[in-house]
Amino acid sequence: MKRLISLCLLALPLFPATAQQTQKPVLHGKNWMAITGKPLAATAGAITFQKGGNAVDAACTMLAATCTMWDVLSWGGETQALIYNPKTKKVIALNAMGVAPTGATAKFFKDKGYNFPPENGPLAATTPGTAGGLMHMLANYGTLSLEEVLAPAMELAAGYPIEAQTANSMEKNKELIKQWPYSKKVFLTHPGEEREAPYAGEIFVQKDLLQTLTKLVEAERAALKQGKSRKEAIMAAYDRFYKGDIAEEFVRGSKEQGGLITMQDLAKWKPIEEEPMMVNYKGVEVYKMQQWTQGPTMLQALNILENFDLKDMGYNSTRYIHTLYQAMNLSFADRDFYYGDPYFKPAEPMKGLLSKEYAKQRASLIRYDKNDPTIGPGDPYPFEGRKNPYLKMLKKRGYEPDTVRRNFAPTHDQRTGSIQEEAEYQDRLWRGTTTIEAADKEGWVVSITPSGGWLPAVIAGNTGIGMSQRMQSFVLDAELNPFNVVEPGKRPRVTLTPSMALKDGKPYLSFAVQGGDTQEQNLLQFFLNVVEFGMNVQQAAEAANFNTNQLWLSLGGTKTDDRKPKPGHILLNESTPEAVRNELKKMGYTLSFGGRTSGPINAVFFDWKHGSFWGGSSNHGEDYGIAW
């Protein structure tokens, strides 16, 4: 009888979608939709739509505004976007990730005593990508001028009432900020006082940034006066940023503070349009960025999960949580070893990693009754007709790529970590950037996950531009990941991962989330909430998710122990029933809990039956959407 009750619990569906109430209402619109991480930035997007701009114009406006408001990113960071072009009916991937600068080698960092590149300071900086990505998107797919798109950001730079979240982050990090003279000048508006950062509601002015944005507009105006086309004029502003006086001051300020970026690094860098990665999940085409992001991790997990009847398991039942946890661990193990910059050798085995046959092999490793704390990278090479050159390296690390189901009975400590450890995990869950979702009635759709230059940021000279910290996502040891070892000109394997899905050849979902290594986890569960359990986008955005920490962290300290996986550690929502908690403990999981575990998800659903948009905007933090 006890065994029967246990099996029933394993299949118990929790929080039925039909009964789920949301803290925010669903957004509805028929003409356009603008969603991002800051209310004022969403308003800027709405203003752009009202000017007659399309979704690309609005997305660029929101990107400019969020960078100016330091929504955990700034103008010196990186941008990655998926754009649906209704004219070609294709999804475009825009790679606007900066690269490691001249002199950034594994030896350079090892000689300084690092196991990973630093997470703060000028040596954490890749070249700026966001400015170039914005101007490339606008020039090629937008309709408005750069001046029109930058107008809200320039108004914000001239002075806006700063929010408590950002102001308090400046105050919290003021000791670090004081190390960098240009950051100190901008962020600590009350030097020498008890509170040196701005107060919530204080008008926060950024004169240097305003001057930089003004220079971009001046370059565009001058080119137009010379008879240049709209696109050529925008690219004239691009050249001023990456090759002109803005670049010169950026490089001077970086070098003064110990940075490595050179004028040649900026001049050589360019955004790249790429073919996105895609898998078909039960008739839905799911698109992600290439393997210099963690995007394909979700695609791998979907391929694995296609081999199970998730709906029959029930939303957030023990069986469902366990199955997703194992599938995510398998795909993250591959991410941690095989993903990297595709423009550098060696070539990543993406064909094998995304094959349905490889997914079936990985799925066969999942046991229904236990967590597997020993999951490692698989061997995708045979699934693309190649021999794996890294088998010796994997064996040295203690991994034997699996071809058959293993029989093991792992033991596991059920105690949770210290209060400090749990707080650090929560910080990683909440730590993030922002997301931008835009769609219009003409059919343009944009999903962006920009980042970099977050507080506490090093501002480069008198530009007002915060430098990226994305170098920390490289590794220095090829045994950890032979595809992601730092070298000049290379992109780090980042966590940033916009998402788009098409069904019957039309846009179905556009969605993104912030939160470091939890991004693909939360996006996977959001997607399944809609596709498998029939939730609307707002329900799916707020629904209780869970997170695995059985992966190598992409962000964090410079010590190896700071990054190592925590096998079996799972973050559950506080509402998880006691019966499910007990079942998971018996399966070898170490449990921790949070009040909000869905991640700050923003999304658009396309209702072709009624000719309208449904918008979901996270109930975390300041995420906000406007539709018409």
Side-chain angles (χ1 to χ4, degrees), residues 87-133:
K87 297 176 182 179
T88 62
K89 302 189 185 306
K90 299 288 186 181
V91 178
I92 304 155
L94 179 65
N95 174 342
M97 176 66 230
V99 298
T102 299
T105 64
K107 183 179 185 304
F108 172 83
F109 290 109
K110 285 181 177 180
D111 286 349
K112 290 184 174 295
Y114 295 118
N115 291 324
F116 294 90
E119 58 182 319
N120 289 305
L123 291 180
T126 55
T127 57
T130 289

Side-chain angles (χ1 to χ4, degrees), residues 123 159 248 283 304 463:
L123 291 180
E248 289 171 355
I304 292 169
T463 62

Side-chain angles (χ1 to χ4, degrees), residues 505-518:
K506 299 177 181 179
Y508 175 64
L509 280 173
S510 182
F511 54 112
V513 69
Q514 58 173 282
D517 291 298
T518 67

Side-chain angles (χ1 to χ4, degrees), residues 202-266:
E202 180 179 328
I203 304 302
F204 178 55
V205 178
Q206 302 172 78
K207 291 180 181 179
D208 289 342
L209 179 59
L210 178 58
Q211 184 181 42
T212 294
L213 299 180
T214 301
K215 287 178 179 180
L216 296 177
V217 170
E218 288 172 351
E220 180 187 48
R221 285 177 183 170
L224 289 171
K225 284 183 180 179
Q226 294 170 6
K228 302 287 187 181
S229 68
R230 171 186 165 277
K231 180 176 179 179
E232 289 171 333
I234 294 171
M235 296 316 291
Y238 176 103
D239 285 343
R240 189 168 186 181
F241 189 97
Y242 286 95
K243 300 173 184 177
D245 57 345
I246 298 172
E248 289 171 355
E249 178 58 18
F250 184 95
V251 169
R252 186 203 66 78
S254 169
K255 286 187 174 180
E256 178 190 332
Q257 298 172 94
L260 299 174
I261 296 171
T262 67
M263 286 292 291
Q264 188 179 19
D265 292 330
L266 294 183

